[in-house]
Amino acid sequence: MKRVITYGTFDLLHYGHIELLRRARAMGDYLVVALSTDEFNWNCKQKKCYFPYEERKRMLEAIRYVDLVIPEENWGQKATDVEKYHIDTFVIGDDWSGKFDFLKEKCEVVYLPRTPEISTTKIKQDLQK
Ligand code: C2G
């Protein structure tokens, strides 16, 4: 069984996120999503989530491509997660291109093209119009 992991906030979930999850899952048989906690988002990513962690987790768990949701609590947990969950492939959008190459010692690292025309920021701006 080929196991894949990805990380993110997934707040105001949209089809760009779904497309990432679909492609990530297609790279293996099992997809783990490490979901940024509210504290990690606020303290380390300067993101204030609209939906709290438990709601974002519930939505991700309802997506057919997602097999397991775990908390992302800090930047440094990835290498441990890869071992703990026996991950074969780490996947994330290419806005992070090169940032996680250190994981190549432990697993395959894949940066996927983002869905260009959609973002949470754009949604919020469009709703202001
Ligand atoms: N994404 C995408 N297309 C978009 C928007 C997002 O492919 N239009 C991808 C991102 O590249 C990322 C995933 O969807 O792989 C989740 O996006 P975010 O919630 O914005 O994740 P981010 O805040 O970048 O968190 O430790 C890594 C971080 O937790 C990643």
Side-chain angles (χ1 to χ4, degrees):
M1 174 186 280
K2 192 172 176 192
R3 300 165 66 88
V4 183
I5 196 167
T6 193
Y7 291 72
T9 298
F10 298 97
D11 188 50
L12 290 194
L13 192 65
H14 56 66
Y15 68 87
H17 297 134
I18 303 299
E19 267 303 286
L20 188 286
L21 295 170
R22 180 186 62 76
R23 288 174 291 162
R25 177 63 174 76
M27 302 187 80
D29 311 289
Y30 188 87
L31 176 61
V32 179
V33 179
L35 180 62
S36 309
T37 61
D38 298 335
E39 297 76 15
F40 178 54
N41 274 307
W42 182 247
N43 296 329
C44 305
K45 294 168 75 174
Q46 289 72 48
K47 283 189 173 184
K48 182 167 178 13
C49 290
Y50 181 80
F51 291 113
Y53 177 82
E54 284 307 318
E55 295 307 327
R56 291 183 286 119
K57 180 173 186 283
R58 186 199 308 249
M59 284 187 263
L60 283 176
E61 287 173 339
I63 298 170
R64 70 174 67 180
Y65 308 123
V66 177
D67 296 289
L68 175 67
V69 179
I70 63 171
E72 179 186 29
E73 297 169 306
N74 59 72
W75 291 115
Q77 70 182 73
K78 293 181 176 67
T80 310
D81 289 346
V82 166
E83 290 180 358
K84 182 176 178 182
Y85 295 95
H86 311 293
I87 299 298
D88 301 290
T89 305
F90 168 92
V91 176
I92 200 161
D94 62 3
D95 45 321
W96 293 92
S97 191
K99 295 289 192 304
F100 303 117
D101 287 355
F102 64 88
L103 291 170
K104 286 181 177 177
E105 296 167 23
K106 295 181 180 296
C107 63
E108 183 187 14
V109 175
V110 177
Y111 301 104
L112 293 173
R114 282 170 63 96
T115 303
E117 73 277 7
I118 183 75
S119 68
T120 301
T121 306
K122 182 179 185 321
I123 293 168
K124 290 175 180 173
Q125 286 169 349
D126 288 355
L127 288 173
Q128 300 292 330
K129 290 174 184 169

